[in-house]
Amino acid sequence: MKNLFKAFKTVNTNTNINKTTKGVKTMKKFSRIKTRIIAGILSAVTVFSVGAAAVTSASAAEIDNVTSVKYNGNTIYYSDDYFRHSSTEYDPHLATLSCIMTNFSVPLDNPDSLDDSNWYLSQPERLYGFFGSIGFKDFETNDDYVSRSRFDSIGVGCANKQVDDYTVIGVGIRSGGYFREWSNNVYLGDGTKSDYMHEGWFNAANKTIDYINEYISANRITGKIKVWIAGFSRGGATTNLAAGLLDNKIQNNEEIFSSDVTLTRDDLYAYTFEAPQGANYNSETVEKPGSELYNNIYNIVNPNDLVPKVAMSEYGFTRFGTDKFITTEFYDPENYADNRDVFLNLYEENGTPRSEYKADDFKMYGTPLKKMAPLVAELVACLPAGVADIVSQIKDGTILVEDNTKANYDANIAAYLLLEEMTKNIGSRSEYCSKYQQGVSDFLLTLMNDVDALKKEELYGLLSKVLLSSAVSSVPGFGDLAEDAIRDILPNDANTDEVIDAIEPLLEVVAQTYWNRPNELISFGLYVKDIFQNHDNGVNIAHLEAQDTYYVSNYNSNHGILMPTVELRDSADFGRVTCKDYNDIGLYNENGKINLVSVKGAKGVKSEIKKCEKGFAVGYYSYATEEGLELFMPVNRKYILNMMSYSVKPKHTVSYSAFYQSVSPNSDCRFRDGRGNFSDWYFMNSDFLQRGVNMNYYK
């Protein structure tokens, strides 16, 4: 006997009908594994055909056989045609559908108690309803989906549909409700047990492949199959590695599934959303991540989201497949305002007021010493109120000023710089594993035993408080303050001292990071809640709908307007130039006629940012004669960088470094570096030497 939800009856896509289907509780068992499968009362599903009037900008060929389904308040467009083209062809409609699938893989609310077994049994009911609404049947899940999560569990739900002579197997990876699985996300491993891939997600990916095999066998599926798999966040990382491993097995002609089925690479459709980096350039048993082998895997990434930037690039981590990027102001300043308007219209159409969208409100702030000095004096005098007062005044803005040493920095740049600095302070991957991994993992495991701590607001508050407390890391008391923040959120039955001892090494890294990146850390701490809105699946769905003609055209038809679709970017790479001992720099276009960025200074005088065009970012970090400066710029263009150095020294050495930062897996390396230095002499009759450097960022 097999455990399953009763599948929805196939809907008639040629008429306008309403259907309500209720799940039936089942407590059957697989003959191979003991599995409990849940049931829930499913929302009404309305199905109607899409006509030419409803999708005005799509061609007649595009809209043939497309049905629009209303399920749980979401409009879902589905067509069997999504699976009639090669998986290597990016399909914006299938991308949107996949994102919606991941949203329904997550329960709406947390349980009242983590011991509520009925709540776990009900977890998959939304995914069950989603598959049923688009005509997929025989929905089943693995044990992990309906049990209290563990350190190494992963929830997987499958359903299938016959399309021509293929059986399409839909695979939804649980993309929320992780609880204890959070502790697995920080478990990189040293690579020896995972071919250098992220050990936690590598194991989850293999469990996913094993469960697909069980599902095929249990449902006696034979012949040609297509596998459609999708996941968000941790579910996205698992999806990415599972698809990459399957691609390699197919290429090597390995027997993947025990049943008599055949799967080709063109029939493996993988879409991930805000997926962290789990593949690794150092892997030896699989093709390198940039290989065309993985061009059936598509990763949708918001550059302003922190999560897809980990695990860290410096350790060789990346994603399999092709990254496609949501547009931001830094990368697409000319079209940004119009693009955001399309997204926000659809975001509001889905039920969230646009006024609640705050993810783009990031600004760089600092805490000037002259404002902090009185508070620091209190702190040094060991007045306990001093520490808390500093943090509270940072949070309420009393001692904050906008950072005028930086222009056009966004959450993407700030997060990149913070992670770079933290990684530098942590050391190598092996050092992370030996000094930090177990402690951070144990901390998260303990934290996830408390239902209250699972609320996003609590987690944002904790992260914000720890980051902001680092602003006083140079004086006594930082450790106590950070520890107090953690103590406040730990469950009552936790061994608090043991947990604090475990997390202390990472708190020290945060404190060290503040020294070199104080304003980035403070700004990130202030905006942490807004920044993580980029990691919200409701936001993702609206972004995906904005690039989908079905949704945009339907909105236009209903509102009598003509919004364009928003194409995803194929690159979010950037050039970065760091300079030392310069305080007068100009960035020009390739012929030197258009000034893009200008930071002006004079001998012994503080520099000022005079100009910074949209699409570029610049910051400087010290003053007068020995300045440091960073430039961020789009790639695939040529620039001329003029650097003027001022010095009161008889002789000093000036230097610059140029970096090409690849943030997608489509190149064979993450960084391309060019470094140079030369000596400048100070002449009594000449205040500076000017050097021109041609920056070539063509790929």
Side-chain angles (χ1 to χ4, degrees):
M1 299 291 290
K2 62 182 179 180
N3 291 315
L4 51 86
F5 284 103
K6 289 189 174 180
F8 279 155
K9 186 176 181 181
T10 303
V11 296
N12 183 344
T13 61
N14 295 316
T15 56
N16 296 330
I17 57 175
N18 291 327
K19 289 186 180 294
T20 301
T21 307
K22 293 185 177 181
V24 179
K25 288 186 176 179
T26 62
M27 293 297 290
K28 301 178 181 179
K29 294 181 179 179
F30 274 119
S31 58
R32 300 179 60 249
I33 57 173
K34 294 181 179 180
T35 306
R36 295 179 298 175
I37 302 295
I38 60 114
I41 299 176
L42 301 177
S43 300
V45 179
T46 305
V47 183
F48 52 91
S49 296
V50 177
V55 189
T56 54
S57 69
S59 67
E62 271 190 301
I63 63 173
D64 285 349
N65 305 317
V66 178
T67 58
S68 178
V69 180
K70 284 285 188 181
Y71 171 65
N72 265 0
N74 285 73
T75 299
I76 302 171
Y77 292 100
Y78 175 80
S79 173
D80 287 344
D81 288 346
Y82 296 168
F83 303 105
R84 290 187 172 118
H85 61 75
S86 169
S87 59
T88 61
E89 177 187 334
Y90 178 74
D91 187 335
H93 310 305
L94 184 56
T96 310
L97 184 70
S98 300
C99 191
I100 293 173
M101 183 222 282
T102 68
N103 190 51
F104 283 122
S105 73
V106 183
L108 278 176
D109 301 302
N110 289 329
D112 293 330
S113 165
L114 291 178
D115 296 321
D116 184 355
S117 58
N118 288 329
W119 184 88
Y120 296 108
L121 286 174
S122 69
Q123 274 200 96
E125 67 180 25
R126 285 171 19 101
L127 184 60
Y128 163 43
F130 165 80
F131 275 127
S133 72
I134 58 174
F136 280 65
K137 62 179 183 178
D138 299 332
F139 178 79
E140 298 176 25
T141 75
N142 65 349
D143 266 342
D144 286 353
Y145 212 144
V146 291
S147 307
R148 184 172 181 176
S149 63
R150 306 179 309 279
F151 164 75
D152 61 347
S153 58
I154 187 71
V156 186
C158 295
N160 73 82
K161 189 176 195 287
Q162 199 68 26
V163 176
D164 303 329
D165 57 344
Y166 287 87
T167 302
V168 179
I169 301 172
V171 183
I173 309 299
R174 181 176 59 199
S175 296
Y178 305 128
F179 305 156
R180 291 175 174 177
E181 289 175 14
W182 271 64
S183 60
N184 191 252
N185 292 340
V186 300
Y187 211 86
L188 274 60
D190 62 8
T192 57
K193 298 178 181 178
S194 57
D195 188 24
Y196 292 97
M197 288 175 258
H198 185 293
E199 186 173 322
W201 301 326
F202 176 80
N203 292 335
N206 280 297
K207 285 185 176 183
T208 298
I209 294 172
D210 289 343
Y211 181 69
I212 297 172
N213 184 32
E214 291 178 6
Y215 178 84
I216 290 171
S217 298
N219 286 275
R220 297 183 176 86
I221 296 172
T222 60
K224 294 186 294 185
I225 65 171
K226 293 175 181 281
V227 173
W228 165 40
I229 182 170
F232 167 83
S233 193
R234 170 178 165 82
T238 299
T239 295
N240 186 265
L241 291 191
L245 294 174
L246 283 172
D247 277 337
N248 278 276
K249 290 176 181 293
I250 293 170
Q251 177 176 257
N252 297 331
N253 294 316
E254 296 180 29
E255 182 178 319
I256 306 171
F257 303 122
S258 57
S259 300
D260 185 18
V261 297
T262 58
L263 173 66
T264 69
R265 206 168 54 82
D266 284 341
D267 295 324
L268 173 59
Y269 303 77
Y271 286 82
T272 80
F273 306 91
E274 307 305 326
Q277 302 179 135
N280 199 288
Y281 284 113
N282 298 308
S283 296
E284 298 176 349
T285 64
V286 298
E287 288 284 332
K288 296 302 180 187
S291 168
E292 291 186 0
L293 176 68
Y294 307 114
N295 61 1
N296 56 354
I297 304 172
Y298 290 99
N299 312 299
I300 314 302
V301 177
N302 189 328
N304 286 334
D305 186 1
L306 173 69
V307 174
K309 302 182 193 308
V310 295
M312 290 76 88
S313 300
E314 287 82 355
Y315 298 160
F317 286 107
T318 184
R319 283 174 286 273
F320 291 122
T322 300
D323 286 358
K324 297 185 77 67
F325 297 90
I326 292 165
T327 189
T328 66
E329 188 170 18
F330 178 79
Y331 292 109
D332 197 7
E334 293 83 7
N335 302 308
Y336 171 77
D338 290 340
N339 289 349
R340 271 301 186 268
D341 194 50
V342 175
F343 151 72
L344 286 171
N345 283 339
L346 293 166
Y347 185 59
E348 195 161 55
E349 186 87 341
N350 292 342
T352 306
R354 64 170 57 209
S355 60
E356 293 186 15
Y357 178 75
K358 305 290 186 182
D360 296 329
D361 292 348
F362 183 85
K363 286 184 180 179
M364 287 297 296
Y365 283 97
T367 53
L369 182 60
K370 64 182 180 181
K371 287 196 172 188
M372 287 187 66
L375 297 172
V376 173
E378 290 182 20
L379 184 63
V380 174
C382 298
L383 295 177
V387 181
D389 202 14
I390 290 176
V391 172
S392 66
Q393 292 196 45
I394 291 174
K395 293 184 79 169
D396 67 21
T398 304
I399 61 175
L400 285 178
V401 295
E402 193 163 347
D403 185 356
N404 61 7
T405 67
K406 298 178 175 65
N408 296 345
Y409 276 46
D410 59 5
N412 177 33
I413 292 174
Y416 164 72
L417 293 172
L418 281 176
L419 284 173
E420 177 188 63
E421 187 65 30
M422 288 190 69
T423 305
K424 187 189 306 179
N425 293 326
I426 287 171
S428 66
R429 179 176 179 176
S430 61
E431 288 175 303
Y432 170 82
C433 292
S434 62
K435 295 179 183 178
Y436 307 97
Q437 177 175 267
Q438 195 61 54
V440 179
S441 181
D442 289 347
F443 164 66
L444 290 172
L445 198 61
T446 302
L447 189 63
M448 291 303 125
N449 277 327
D450 185 0
V451 172
D452 289 335
L454 301 174
K455 299 174 182 176
K456 285 185 177 180
E457 297 295 328
E458 295 291 337
L459 291 174
Y460 294 150
L462 172 65
L463 182 55
S464 177
K465 193 170 184 179
V466 169
L467 290 175
L468 292 177
S469 67
S470 300
V472 292
S473 61
S474 59
V475 292
F478 161 70
D480 292 340
L481 180 61
E483 290 174 10
D484 288 345
I486 293 171
R487 289 177 194 276
D488 288 345
I489 202 171
L490 287 175
N492 293 329
D493 60 352
N495 187 332
T496 305
D497 291 337
E498 186 175 302
V499 173
I500 295 297
D501 288 343
I503 198 92
E504 182 64 29
L506 188 63
L507 295 179
E508 293 176 1
V509 166
V510 176
Q512 292 168 4
T513 299
Y514 170 74
W515 267 118
N516 289 327
R517 293 293 179 186
N519 293 8
E520 284 85 352
L521 189 141
I522 288 170
S523 300
F524 204 90
L526 283 170
Y527 284 103
V528 67
K529 179 181 177 182
D530 296 340
I531 291 170
F532 274 97
Q533 195 173 31
N534 291 303
H535 197 69
D536 180 90
N537 219 356
V539 171
N540 269 264
I541 288 173
H543 277 301
L544 269 293
E545 290 177 350
Q547 55 99 56
D548 189 327
T549 55
Y550 295 164
Y551 289 88
V552 173
S553 297
N554 186 59
Y555 185 93
N556 289 344
S557 177
N558 291 337
H559 294 270
I561 62 175
L562 188 60
M563 296 191 308
T565 54
V566 177
E567 291 189 10
L568 298 177
R569 295 183 56 85
D570 290 328
S571 171
D573 297 351
F574 59 83
R576 175 186 174 193
V577 179
T578 64
C579 308
K580 290 184 178 180
D581 292 331
Y582 291 97
N583 64 355
D584 192 333
I585 294 184
L587 183 72
Y588 297 84
N589 70 336
E590 149 175 41
N591 60 21
K593 293 182 178 180
I594 299 177
N595 180 224
L596 303 166
V597 177
S598 176
V599 178
K600 292 289 186 181
K603 184 173 60 177
V605 177
K606 173 182 173 181
S607 297
E608 294 181 356
I609 297 173
K610 298 293 186 180
K611 184 176 185 179
C612 187
E613 295 288 333
K614 290 185 177 180
F616 300 85
V618 62
Y620 64 92
Y621 302 95
S622 59
Y623 302 109
T625 60
E626 296 184 50
E627 300 220 357
L629 182 142
E630 285 185 330
L631 284 168
F632 297 88
M633 64 207 74
V635 295
N636 300 333
R637 294 173 63 180
K638 288 185 177 181
Y639 303 96
I640 293 177
L641 183 66
N642 281 337
M643 301 177 286
M644 305 179 189
S645 64
Y646 294 86
S647 177
V648 296
K649 300 177 181 178
K651 180 181 178 181
H652 71 283
T653 300
V654 294
S655 62
Y656 73 90
S657 298
F659 299 86
Y660 174 96
Q661 171 68 15
S662 173
V663 292
S664 68
N666 301 329
S667 64
D668 57 2
C669 62
R670 302 293 293 187
F671 302 95
R672 300 172 191 168
D673 301 349
R675 301 173 185 271
N677 63 76
F678 49 87
S679 294
D680 270 358
W681 289 83
Y682 173 72
F683 296 97
M684 295 300 293
N685 296 321
S686 177
D687 284 342
F688 65 86
L689 277 176
Q690 180 171 333
R691 303 282 180 135
V693 179
N694 291 312
M695 311 302 302
N696 186 344
Y697 279 115
Y698 283 110
K699 287 186 179 180

